[in-house]
Amino acid sequence: MHGLVSRSNNDESPAAHSTDSKKLAPTATQSFHTLQGHEELNEQMRMIELTEEDLALLRLLKPGVEQEIDFITDQFYNTVLGVGKLEAIILEHSSIERLKKTLKQHIIEIFDGDINESYIAKRLNIAKIHKRVGLEPKWYLSAFQNLQNVFITAIYEQPLQEHERLRVVHTITKLLNLEQQLVLEAYEKENIREKEKQYLIVKNELKQKIAEFSGELIDLSMDTNAAVEQLVASSNEVNSTFQRTAQSAKDSQGMARNGHLYLDGLADQIGRIYESTNEMERSVTELSQFSRQIQKIVTAVQEIADQTKILSLNATIEAARAGEHGRGFSVVAQEVNRLAEDTKNTVLRIGELTHKSGALTDQVVGEIRKVQELTHSGKLQSVETSMLFTEIVNALQSSTQEIVVVEEEIKVLIQTIEGIGGTTAQTAESAAYFRSATENL
């Protein structure tokens, strides 16, 4: 690469592709290069101290670069093709020969020493192409470092004085640095643009999802709220029913107590009836005994009447024998006979009545015994019923207490459901606010 900066005594023209030591010497005054409408870029060029003199030096170096351009590009791509990933990118999107041709033109344009709008636009386009083919910035920087190494090696192979070599290295380094700044900035802007595009896509998708979710949440909250309101209404109705049931249970408990008291009174009455029937049985038994005694008396009187009748008959016979003297005694005998007959008939009548009275007494005794049996059975049933009513009263009391507990639990449940309803309504409001906020993103 001895032709990058050549010395010639036969050609002293500034446009020639050779330079001498006097032309490479530093000038007394340095003017920075500026570009209209690119204040930030001008600041960058001032920061790396890129001057008009540097650009002029590049133009002086251009002929030597053109002579060595094939060697430069070959060295550059020999290194690049040593990386399998870079080779794959090149073969997928272009060819080696085409890229070498493009690189030659690109390097020669650098040494035109003319940084203008076209120069900047081409660098930005390079960044877009690299981004499109998937070349990462690290590989671009590595390749550019390789290109810089090629230039510096070539410079140090030239027969230049140290200050001349240093100036050339500084100038080329400044241009390559500016090149990297332009491309990397374009890389960054393209990344930002893609990220913003992706962010916008994600944002719109997120907005849509959130809007759908918020709508579903609002609908669900409304349905839940309606269900809660219906549940509250049903719970209030159940509570009212429980209150009525509790009141009915209390009323039933009171009536059961009253029935228990009535049964106790009935048991007392049945007991008194039972005692009364016992007294009646004793009285009827005594009456039966009296009837039997009367029957005995009737029998005795009947026997006396029969004997009296026999005596009267004997007296009549004796009176007939006595004749006229026994006539009065005969009248008396007849009267005694008639009296005996009447007595006999009366006694027979009394006997019949006494017999009937005994039969009726026996029948009354039987009926009284039946009443006693029924009264005793009723008394037992009354006792059993009283015990049953006691159990009913106890069960009603326990049921009433349980109903009261359930009523309190239902009140707590209603309060809880109302709290859930309030929370659901608040959730619906939050979802509506959330959807509104999402729409404003």
Side-chain angles (χ1 to χ4, degrees), residues 129-300:
I129 294 173
H130 287 175
K131 180 68 177 176
R132 178 170 54 81
V133 300
L135 182 66
E136 297 176 76
K138 62 182 180 181
W139 299 116
Y140 170 77
L141 290 173
S142 298
F144 234 81
Q145 181 62 45
N146 172 261
L147 183 61
Q148 181 173 293
N149 292 340
V150 172
F151 277 117
I152 293 175
T153 301
I155 292 169
Y156 272 86
E157 290 178 354
Q158 300 304 309
L160 298 173
Q161 295 182 10
E162 189 62 30
H163 69 277
E164 294 173 335
R165 184 180 292 112
L166 182 59
R167 183 182 173 193
V168 174
V169 170
H170 281 175
T171 299
I172 292 177
T173 303
K174 291 176 186 178
L175 260 294
L176 294 180
N177 181 268
L178 180 63
E179 182 90 5
Q180 293 179 65
Q181 289 184 40
L182 292 172
V183 173
L184 292 178
E185 183 179 8
Y187 256 114
E188 183 179 4
K189 288 181 179 179
E190 189 66 19
N191 282 332
I192 292 174
R193 187 188 67 80
E194 289 185 357
K195 288 181 180 179
E196 288 178 348
K197 182 180 178 181
Q198 186 66 28
Y199 168 75
L200 185 61
I201 293 173
V202 173
K203 175 183 174 182
N204 291 333
E205 291 180 354
L206 182 60
K207 284 177 63 177
Q208 182 179 358
K209 294 295 182 182
I210 291 176
E212 293 176 358
F213 171 74
S214 299
E216 293 175 358
L217 183 59
I218 290 174
D219 294 339
L220 179 62
S221 299
M222 293 177 65
D223 293 340
T224 305
N225 194 32
V228 169
E229 290 179 355
Q230 183 177 0
L231 184 58
V232 170
S234 300
S235 300
N236 287 328
E237 184 176 352
V238 171
N239 187 36
S240 301
T241 304
F242 262 100
Q243 289 179 349
R244 291 193 297 271
T245 303
Q247 187 61 40
S248 298
K250 292 178 181 178
D251 295 339
S252 299
Q253 187 178 4
M255 290 186 289
R257 288 197 185 97
N258 293 333
H260 189 270
L261 294 176
Y262 292 153
L263 278 177
D264 290 341
L266 179 61
D268 292 339
Q269 291 179 1
I270 291 175
R272 289 194 294 271
I273 292 173
Y274 185 77
E275 295 297 329
S276 298
T277 55
N278 288 334
E279 292 295 330
M280 290 176 63
E281 183 181 11
R282 286 193 292 272
S283 299
V284 171
T285 301
E286 291 178 0
L287 179 61
S288 178
Q289 292 174 356
F290 291 154
S291 295
R292 284 194 291 274
Q293 291 178 3
I294 292 173
Q295 185 69 32
K296 291 179 180 179
I297 293 171
V298 168
T299 301

Side-chain angles (χ1 to χ4, degrees), residues 387-402:
M387 294 175 61
L388 180 60
F389 263 96
T390 301
E391 293 178 358
I392 292 174
V393 169
N394 294 332
L396 282 174
Q397 185 174 2
S398 177
S399 176
T400 302
Q401 292 175 350
E402 291 178 357

Side-chain angles (χ1 to χ4, degrees), residues 67-172:
Q67 290 180 2
E68 301 295 334
I69 192 64
D70 291 333
F71 177 80
I72 294 172
T73 54
D74 288 340
Q75 288 292 104
F76 175 80
Y77 276 105
N78 286 339
T79 304
V80 170
L81 294 175
V83 180
K85 185 174 183 180
L86 299 181
E87 182 180 9
I89 293 175
I90 291 172
L91 295 178
E92 180 181 357
H93 298 281
S94 185
S95 65
I96 302 298
E97 293 303 320
R98 182 180 176 183
L99 291 180
K100 282 184 177 182
K101 182 178 179 180
T102 302
L103 180 60
K104 291 176 183 179
Q105 182 180 356
H106 183 74
I107 292 173
I108 291 172
E109 286 178 354
I110 292 177
F111 286 87
D112 283 339
D114 189 9
I115 301 177
N116 52 26
E117 294 288 348
S118 176
Y119 181 91
I120 295 172
K122 287 182 179 180
R123 272 63 195 165
L124 297 181
N125 187 53
I126 290 173
K128 291 181 180 179
I129 294 173
H130 287 175
K131 180 68 177 176
R132 178 170 54 81
V133 300
L135 182 66
E136 297 176 76
K138 62 182 180 181
W139 299 116
Y140 170 77
L141 290 173
S142 298
F144 234 81
Q145 181 62 45
N146 172 261
L147 183 61
Q148 181 173 293
N149 292 340
V150 172
F151 277 117
I152 293 175
T153 301
I155 292 169
Y156 272 86
E157 290 178 354
Q158 300 304 309
L160 298 173
Q161 295 182 10
E162 189 62 30
H163 69 277
E164 294 173 335
R165 184 180 292 112
L166 182 59
R167 183 182 173 193
V168 174
V169 170
H170 281 175
T171 299
I172 292 177

